Amino acid sequence: MSRLFALVLTAGALVFAASGDGNKCTEFSPCSREGYCDANAMFCMWDLCDPTKSYNATSCWQPEGCLDQTIEFDSSSDVVPIRQYSGNPNTNALVSIFEPDNSKIENGKLVLDMTYESAQNKGFGTTVHSSHSFQYGTVTARIKSASIAKGVVSAFIIRSDQVGDEIDFEWVGKDPNTVETNIFYHDILNYSNSRYFDVGGDTSAEYHDYTIVWDPDFIQWAVDGKTLRTFKREDTYNKANNEYRFPAAEGRVGLSIWDGGNSGSDGTEEWAGTPTPWTPSTVYQMFVESITIKCSGSNPASSDTAEPQSSTIANSDSSSENAGVSSSGADETTNEATESSAQVTDSSDDGTSDSKPSDNGDSDSNSPDGGDSDSEGTDSVSPDSSSASSSTDAGSGSEEQTEGNESSGTSGTGESEAPSGTGESEAPSSTGESEAPSGTGESEAPSSTGESEAPSSTGESTVQSATDAPSESTVPDQKCKVVTIVRPL
């Protein structure tokens, strides 16, 4: 049991399924997340909830489907702490999935804070997910990164926690002028999937529009309307497994800030820069001005999602099929010679089929009690526009990664903070709700992605510049042994 899980135990009653094959949650706390059971959004929300360990096939909430929308953060309801989320995605566009909640809307912007956790000498960050699911389409987020100090990682991702598919942008504090693009397929770590690009200025001092175009046949990344990279499905075929290692699973759009510099993983720390500078009053901040989502997949949101979901709802026919979106015009558009030299063909299984390490160096960074996460009266470390610089050579990350070379393999949100409770949950015999963290299959505290142990980047980097604008493409139920552990509040 991780430190965070133990901390949750001190808050009240914890109900969990006994370990062993076939053990499932009870009807009183039907939803499973990392082996723990409860009946609220923290455990039942689609993609966080594990259907194989939940009470029955209808326990986990269903995917909400994609919704075309622009979120401009003009309402405080645009983001909500997960324990307050009713399950109605039309009420809240984003859900903050960890406690304490370090997200807020301020001056028309979404602000994601990372505060200092003295017990672990590392930062406690923030991860927010879209309340609607997403599979294929275009997402643009206008972002000012938190890259003002080494070790601070900001991320904008599309991810399926249950499957392990991910598409991301990431910024590391040691190199504020550069953005990394990356993909994961089933959480398989493939070092050659990362690419680094010079944005042309300090990403923590200026807002930029970051766009991900996700099509069944290709993925494009763009900054301010200029295409940086196109990644083709046809280049990901793995002969040994007879599969295309291309992200295709329905997931969610996410944004996060986390401490990579004090993660406890050598590879991640070198990638992000280390150590992350901290004082008790330090607060690092990532700013998001807007998010625009345009759907092109086959699972649009339906009117059924207008009502809060229940953990006992019947399965609806909301499964997603790959949309047959045309990939015409999706030829490789970025520095053809460089890109082709690092194409992912996966013709053999050596090195690339190992599961992505669940470093979880940050797994213990978010304390449920929130004692060290109160930012009131602290010195907020915000981007200083006067520090903006224009660089044509970022000097970090390798554009031409070689399989087996050390490079960043961290997954987008990085944070693995366990969802903690309010300290007021009860055993099933009382209310049916139990206080516990939960699981997406990670070995430790749940997270949107979990921290992967990333080998460090070692070579001299060559950073691509932006080019053309992207085209938009658009078992019988088996009750388990239940153990109730009660600790003083």
Side-chain angles (χ1 to χ4, degrees):
M1 180 179 294
S2 73
R3 183 186 67 85
L4 279 173
F5 287 8
L7 282 173
V8 173
L9 285 176
T10 67
L14 171 66
V15 177
F16 60 93
S19 61
D21 293 338
N23 291 304
K24 297 192 175 188
C25 296
T26 70
E27 60 184 313
F28 302 103
S29 298
C31 302
S32 174
R33 190 176 169 198
E34 290 204 12
Y36 293 82
C37 306
D38 210 324
N40 56 48
M42 190 179 292
F43 299 81
C44 297
M45 195 170 178
W46 176 80
D47 204 40
L48 296 179
C49 182
D50 181 357
T52 68
K53 297 296 178 64
S54 294
Y55 177 61
N56 60 29
T58 64
S59 297
C60 295
W61 296 353
Q62 301 302 300
E64 302 83 359
C66 188
L67 179 70
D68 287 352
Q69 59 180 317
T70 294
I71 310 162
E72 296 183 324
F73 304 109
D74 50 7
S75 169
S76 60
S77 65
D78 284 340
V79 62
V80 64
I82 193 166
R83 195 165 289 279
Q84 298 176 22
Y85 179 54
S86 69
N88 183 351
N90 298 323
T91 300
N92 310 105
L94 300 173
V95 180
S96 180
I97 68 171
F98 297 122
E99 293 179 335
D101 170 30
N102 278 346
S103 69
K104 59 190 174 186
I105 293 176
E106 199 170 74
N107 300 321
K109 297 174 178 63
L110 172 66
V111 184
L112 305 184
D113 288 354
M114 180 166 66
T115 56
Y116 182 63
E117 186 189 39
S118 60
Q120 293 296 303
N121 189 31
K122 66 171 71 173
F124 182 100
T126 315
T127 297
V128 299
H129 281 178
S130 61
S131 57
H132 280 92
S133 55
F134 181 79
Q135 185 183 36
Y136 304 130
T138 302
V139 185
T140 297
R142 187 164 179 80
I143 295 171
K144 187 158 60 174
S145 80
S147 293
I148 62 173
K150 61 185 178 181
V152 182
V153 182
S154 315
F156 163 35
I157 72 171
I158 301 168
R159 177 169 172 85
S160 164
D161 275 353
Q162 288 295 326
V163 175
D165 285 1
E166 178 177 318
I167 306 163
D168 66 44
F169 275 109
E170 286 187 288
W171 303 259
V172 295
K174 72 175 186 180
D175 194 357
N177 287 20
T178 299
V179 65
E180 177 188 6
T181 66
N182 204 357
I183 71 102
F184 291 91
Y185 169 79
H186 291 195
D187 279 337
I188 295 171
L189 182 59
N190 185 334
Y191 302 142
S192 68
N193 286 338
S194 297
R195 300 289 186 279
Y196 296 80
F197 301 91
D198 192 300
V199 175
D202 187 343
T203 63
S204 70
E206 303 169 343
Y207 283 96
H208 294 277
D209 292 320
Y210 297 90
T211 299
I212 296 173
V213 180
W214 183 23
D215 182 273
D217 295 316
F218 66 91
I219 299 164
Q220 289 180 327
W221 293 259
V223 176
D224 297 331
K226 301 294 184 180
T227 298
L228 301 178
R229 175 188 183 190
T230 299
F231 181 87
K232 297 180 179 180
R233 178 178 179 271
E234 65 186 31
D235 295 329
T236 68
Y237 182 67
N238 182 277
K239 289 182 179 179
N241 296 87
N242 190 29
E243 65 183 4
Y244 288 93
R245 294 187 169 180
F246 182 87
E250 187 172 7
R252 296 188 189 277
V253 176
L255 298 144
S256 68
I257 178 174
W258 54 281
D259 189 348
N262 294 356
S263 66
S265 162
D266 291 343
T268 299
E269 290 181 350
E270 180 150 354
W271 166 72
T274 191
T276 307
W278 286 107
T279 69
S281 60
T282 301
V283 179
Y284 294 106
Q285 296 183 311
M286 173 183 178
F287 299 89
V288 184
E289 198 169 75
S290 64
I291 304 171
T292 298
I293 299 173
K294 296 182 179 179
C295 314
S296 65
S298 61
N299 187 22
S302 70
S303 59
D304 292 341
T305 61
E307 295 299 326
Q309 295 200 54
S310 163
S311 60
T312 59
I313 61 174
N315 274 323
S316 60
D317 186 15
S318 59
S319 61
S320 301
E321 299 175 359
N322 289 352
V325 181
S326 169
S327 61
S328 61
D331 290 338
E332 198 70 51
T333 58
T334 67
N335 293 344
E336 197 74 26
T338 303
E339 191 73 6
S340 61
S341 68
Q343 279 184 346
V344 185
T345 58
D346 285 346
S347 58
S348 66
D349 223 12
D350 55 343
T352 65
S353 61
D354 296 335
S355 294
K356 181 175 64 173
S358 104
D359 162 36
N360 286 332
D362 288 324
S363 296
D364 298 334
S365 64
N366 279 10
S367 167
D369 59 14
D372 293 306
S373 299
D374 186 355
S375 61
E376 183 176 352
T378 62
D379 300 326
S380 177
V381 184
S382 301
D384 181 357
S385 59
S386 64
S387 66
S389 61
S390 178
S391 170
T392 57
D393 185 4
S396 78
S398 172
E399 178 56 36
E400 296 186 23
Q401 302 278 349
T402 302
E403 288 279 336
N405 275 359
E406 292 186 336
S407 76
S408 164
T410 53
S411 154
T413 66
E415 289 287 355
S416 296
E417 305 105 339
S420 68
T422 60
E424 299 178 358
S425 64
E426 300 176 356
S429 58
S430 176
T431 65
E433 293 194 4
S434 62
E435 178 71 22
S438 60
T440 58
E442 296 287 351
S443 60
E444 291 197 55
S447 84
S448 64
T449 66
E451 166 105 18
S452 65
E453 182 167 340
S456 62
S457 177
T458 55
E460 200 60 27
S461 69
T462 54
V463 182
Q464 287 183 333
S465 60
T467 56
D468 303 326
S471 57
E472 284 192 5
S473 27
T474 24
V475 146
D477 294 337
Q478 182 175 357
K479 294 186 178 179
C480 64
K481 175 182 178 182
V482 175
V483 181
T484 302
I485 302 175
V486 181
R487 295 288 186 270
L489 292 173

